[in-house]
Amino acid sequence: MGKIILTGDRPTGRLHVGHYVGSLRNRVILQNSGKFEKLFFMIADAQALTDNFDNPGKVRENILQVALDYMACGLDPAKCHMFIQSVVCELTELTFYYMNLVTLARLERNPTVKAEIQLRGFNHSIPMGFLTYPVSQTADITAFMADTVPVGEDQLPMIEQAREIVRRFNELYGETLVEPAALLPDNAACLRLPGTDGKAKMSKSLGNCIYLADEPEDIRTKVMGMFTDPNHLQVSDPGQTEGNPVFMYLDAFCRDEFFARYLPDYANLDELKAHYQRGGLGDVKVKKFLNNVLQETLEPIRTRRKELEKDPGYVMDVLRQGTEVAQAAAAETLAEGINIVEKKPTPPDTVFSKALGGWYDIVVVMYHDQGHIPLKVKGFVYNKAEGHWDAVAGVNVTLGLPIIRASVDHGTGFGHAGDGHANELSLVNAMDYGIRMANAKAQK
Ligand code: TRP
């Protein structure tokens, strides 16, 4: 089997330059390297809900924003699959099985989770969904049999946790799952780009991020306001480059060729740093150079993003197609992997199939409106020959999106001809509704 990549981002805001040097830039290189058989890039909306469950609207809106950032950076739907996590129900199902393979104590020891619990002030009232997100992340990775997971340094404990779960699974049930490895950026400066204020974490609430979508003027203002060495008061003072945000950004973004274009007095970053350390080089000059470097790097991304923004329908379509591929891949893993654990029994006769007396093949499909296109929420097909309901793959309802349509189709087809029904149906209501409609039709 060829090499497979999976990685993703939580859609809680637009992506910024930290995401870019930490992972996005590398993903595009990996995508174009021809070394990977399949690449999956996931918008982790279900994971984002684990600490934004009180604000699903924010998560929902940012799905499109992240997709725009992905494509603006050069992720190409012809070469990779970009998809929405919550739509692939199989990931949730895998998570449920993996939960058996990890203890509460182990989850509480996960350093990333520990730090985030502190940051969010959860203390002893940690939502279970949040605590178990590393398990769901294991499902994300293994569902695609991914061996390579390009991530930032903060995600290393997640990959370690995934490797442990995979080993445990394989030990108990036979060699089935692939043990993944993290792939970090080569350039150490890209591992943790600080905020423009020098704080270790870039965050929207701190207002210390440069976004990929920022306008040239915003970038300039943010760069010129960046923190530097606090002891470098006069141009003549010797300055520190280590831990100095401006130089940390240059470490991550600068290439020698930029000097020829914008600062020809120096051949490379080492020379610039040496001058700063000796004294005699002012912050403004270095900031202006960094501004030029960032402007040149971000300009093509912003331009492509603006083009894509004009056609959100196209972007959502890319996600829909990517999601279909992802869903099929995850279903295959689930069938192969989990049936080893437990051959799933056929669902027992339900109220619904009893009500129908097994007369009809019926499909109930619900839709919700996710931005621009209706997506399938969940469907059930009544299998007359075998006498049971089968869930058909679709979208789960964790995002609490309004359901705009539930529809019923007779025969073997899977469609939404007629029988539209509006608003806020629960899954059970929709099935019930489907059966009533089906019975009504049959009586005609
Ligand atoms: N936790 C990752 C982040 O916060 C996003 C993510 C979800 C992910 N599932 C993943 C990354 C699987 C790599 C693999 O950025």
Side-chain angles (χ1 to χ4, degrees):
M1 195 157 60
K3 290 179 79 61
I4 298 175
I5 280 183
L6 174 120
T7 188
D9 300 276
R10 296 180 187 195
T12 53
R14 293 178 173 200
L15 301 184
H16 51 61
V17 290
H19 294 112
Y20 181 70
V21 292
S23 181
L24 285 172
R25 182 167 66 182
N26 207 23
R27 284 182 209 176
V28 178
I29 295 171
L30 295 169
Q31 168 196 268
N32 297 332
S33 71
K35 289 196 187 128
F36 294 88
E37 184 191 319
K38 287 185 219 146
L39 300 97
F40 294 95
F41 298 114
M42 180 182 76
I43 303 183
D45 59 339
Q47 186 179 108
L49 274 188
T50 63
D51 61 332
N52 289 279
F53 46 82
D54 52 350
N55 196 356
K58 175 172 104 178
V59 174
R60 188 157 64 236
E61 279 151 29
N62 281 304
I63 290 173
L64 176 65
Q65 295 307 321
V66 171
L68 284 167
D69 286 326
Y70 277 3
M71 290 168 74
C73 284
L75 293 186
D76 176 356
K79 296 181 182 161
C80 68
H81 307 295
M82 291 170 258
F83 71 98
I84 304 176
Q85 183 185 33
S86 68
V87 179
V88 183
C89 305
E90 284 77 3
L91 299 177
T92 321
E93 198 170 337
L94 275 174
T95 304
F96 191 76
Y97 290 102
Y98 292 166
M99 295 238 219
N100 298 330
L101 309 181
V102 63
T103 64
L104 177 62
R106 175 64 182 89
L107 285 170
E108 283 175 335
R109 268 202 315 274
N110 183 310
T112 307
V113 174
K114 232 168 148 173
E116 287 174 328
I117 286 170
Q118 272 210 334
L119 190 79
R120 290 170 179 75
F122 282 149
N123 300 318
H124 289 297
S125 31
I126 311 160
M128 279 309 291
F130 187 80
L131 191 67
T132 54
Y133 92 73
V135 185
S136 118
Q137 195 152 330
T138 304
D140 301 336
I141 298 167
T142 55
F144 304 97
M145 297 289 179
D147 47 48
T148 310
V149 188
V151 281
E153 206 177 21
D154 63 317
Q155 294 294 307
L156 289 179
M158 299 298 155
I159 311 300
E160 195 42 49
Q161 185 114 52
R163 291 164 64 87
E164 281 175 31
I165 292 175
V166 165
R167 284 199 291 267
R168 185 100 179 96
F169 187 100
N170 288 347
E171 194 180 278
L172 282 168
Y173 308 122
E175 284 295 319
T176 317
L177 303 175
V178 177
E179 213 174 303
L183 183 66
L184 296 173
D186 303 332
N187 179 349
C190 296
L191 289 176
R192 246 186 198 289
L193 200 67
T196 51
D197 57 359
K199 291 217 170 75
K201 201 156 170 70
M202 260 194 243
S203 101
K204 195 171 172 169
S205 54
L206 295 172
N208 61 358
C209 317
I210 298 174
Y211 294 97
L212 296 175
D214 274 352
E215 292 295 330
E217 204 35 52
D218 300 326
I219 299 170
R220 210 191 69 85
T221 309
K222 289 179 187 178
V223 171
M224 296 318 283
M226 269 176 88
F227 282 39
T228 63
D229 172 5
N231 299 316
H232 186 244
L233 299 172
Q234 315 233 328
V235 173
S236 55
D237 290 340
Q240 280 242 13
T241 54
E242 198 120 318
N244 179 330
V246 176
F247 282 96
M248 290 166 90
Y249 274 58
L250 284 173
D251 277 328
F253 281 94
C254 188
R255 295 191 305 269
D256 290 353
E257 67 203 66
F258 286 114
F259 283 96
R261 279 204 281 289
Y262 305 116
L263 206 56
D265 292 351
Y266 307 87
N268 54 43
L269 193 52
D270 288 340
E271 285 186 14
L272 187 75
K273 282 184 180 173
H275 192 180
Y276 192 83
Q277 286 160 354
R278 278 201 302 279
L281 175 59
D283 284 336
V284 171
K285 193 164 176 181
V286 187
K287 284 181 181 176
K288 280 187 174 160
F289 175 60
L290 173 61
N291 177 51
N292 283 321
V293 169
L294 287 180
Q295 297 288 358
E296 183 177 325
T297 308
L298 299 179
E299 192 275 331
I301 297 175
R302 183 177 52 247
T303 307
R304 254 196 312 265
R305 199 182 196 282
K306 283 201 168 142
E307 273 307 303
L308 290 161
E309 277 168 13
K310 288 185 201 152
D311 195 358
Y314 165 70
V315 179
M316 290 309 283
D317 225 38
V318 164
L319 288 185
R320 190 177 52 71
Q321 285 174 28
T323 303
E324 272 170 20
V325 175
Q327 197 270 319
E332 208 173 303
T333 302
L334 199 63
E336 265 178 38
I338 300 304
N339 278 346
I340 292 176
V341 182
E342 182 194 23
K343 189 94 190 97
K344 281 196 208 163
T346 320
D349 259 5
T350 61
V351 176
F352 307 113
S353 62
K354 285 221 179 82
L356 285 164
W359 287 103
Y360 308 105
D361 284 337
I362 288 174
V363 182
V364 177
V365 194
M366 298 204 300
Y367 296 80
H368 61 208
D369 190 76
Q370 190 150 32
H372 305 272
I373 43 159
L375 289 173
K376 278 175 248 155
V377 177
K378 188 94 189 170
F380 287 89
V381 56
Y382 187 68
N383 183 330
K384 192 170 76 177
E386 289 179 44
H388 57 82
W389 284 86
D390 283 336
V392 290
V395 182
N396 64 25
V397 287
T398 46
L399 289 183
L401 301 171
I403 290 152
I404 57 164
R405 194 161 71 223
S407 63
V408 183
D409 199 11
H410 297 256
T412 52
F414 185 112
H416 48 87
D419 297 337
H421 190 80
N423 291 329
E424 312 290 347
L425 288 164
S426 70
L427 185 58
V428 169
N429 279 342
M431 290 178 75
D432 197 36
Y433 170 73
I435 288 156
R436 277 191 282 110
M437 293 305 290
N439 283 336
K441 264 200 177 173
Q443 271 159 23
K444 269 188 202 154

